Amino acid sequence: MKYDAFIKTLQVKHSAVACTVVLMVSCAPEHSSHIYPEDTVGLELAREWSDNHWQVKLPAGWIIEPVFGMRDASFRVIGPVGTEAEVSISSLPIQGGSLAGNVNRWRVQAGLQPWEDDAVQSLLTPITITDWPAYRMEFVSPEADGQTIYGIIMEKDTKRTFIKFSGPPAMMKSQLDAWNFFVKNLEIRHAH
């Protein structure tokens, strides 16, 4: 008799613990980096991010990442299940390679043929960000599993700044409006 009562007490306690664990797990908020939206979220949800050098408006769904290495800023973009893209901003001394060399490095990373060095500048789109002259480029990978790169290279005084957005071609195509929004709202607070 005592044994049967002991077993029933254990069953009741075990059920209560199991229910508590299920409730805790089902009520816990999901971590945002594990949410994969099926479609691009509207740009009306953008938020601002800044540091000592940059003032930007981040499109919805762009996640601020920790900075490492020579990066000034780093952002991650989560796409449909299993797809991600990355945005980085880096500044280096201008003597770190030529404009043509840096552009062609990105072209090769996108699976494209390099351009002739003396033709590179004429093939790029010139823009201005704050008061910095810059070049804008879009290198779409011909391979479905390749890396498409949207980029900006700015040169002023002794500094060259790289803004690189790279990811799978289909995802990058869906993020083109977000990239345009990001570029349009990018401001340099002061040179560094």
Side-chain angles (χ1 to χ4, degrees):
M1 226 22 155
K2 289 181 181 180
Y3 178 78
D4 288 341
F6 174 72
I7 294 297
K8 284 185 180 183
T9 303
L10 279 180
Q11 288 173 338
V12 168
K13 285 183 179 180
H14 178 54
S15 296
V17 169
C19 288
T20 302
V21 169
V22 168
L23 285 173
M24 288 172 60
V25 169
S26 65
C27 293
E30 289 187 63
H31 190 275
S32 62
S33 66
H34 295 177
I35 296 172
Y36 294 89
E38 291 301 320
D39 298 306
T40 303
V41 180
L43 297 178
E44 70 278 2
L45 298 177
R47 59 196 167 105
E48 290 194 4
W49 174 87
S50 63
D51 69 0
N52 291 334
H53 310 293
W54 300 97
Q55 176 78 35
V56 301
K57 288 187 180 173
L58 295 176
W62 288 31
I63 302 164
I64 300 166
E65 293 272 285
V67 176
F68 61 90
M70 294 180 289
R71 293 187 179 194
D72 296 332
S74 190
F75 310 102
R76 183 155 309 278
V77 184
I78 307 297
V81 175
T83 59
E84 293 186 9
E86 180 181 52
V87 181
S88 63
I89 302 176
S90 305
S91 296
L92 298 169
I94 208 162
Q95 67 263 26
S98 65
L99 175 65
N102 285 296
V103 168
N104 280 327
R105 179 171 43 88
W106 285 356
R107 285 186 59 77
V108 169
Q109 287 173 2
L112 303 171
Q113 291 296 316
W115 288 332
E116 293 293 325
D117 285 2
D118 56 356
V120 166
Q121 196 164 351
S122 65
L123 295 169
L124 297 174
T125 304
I127 62 171
T128 301
I129 297 176
T130 311
D131 61 343
W132 281 45
Y135 297 100
R136 182 176 172 161
M137 56 215 76
E138 292 175 12
F139 300 139
V140 178
S141 176
E143 304 293 330
D145 61 348
Q147 288 288 302
T148 285
I149 297 173
Y150 301 153
I152 292 172
I153 297 179
M154 298 184 280
E155 297 181 335
K156 187 172 181 182
D157 303 325
T158 61
K159 190 70 62 181
R160 182 178 285 129
T161 298
F162 303 90
I163 303 172
K164 181 181 179 186
F165 183 18
S166 61
M171 181 181 174
M172 294 296 287
K173 183 177 180 182
S174 75
Q175 287 289 319
L176 188 54
D177 286 343
W179 169 246
N180 290 333
F181 176 87
F182 176 78
V183 172
K184 178 183 174 186
N185 291 286
L186 183 63
E187 293 179 30
I188 300 170
R189 289 182 154 184
H190 59 80
H192 55 293

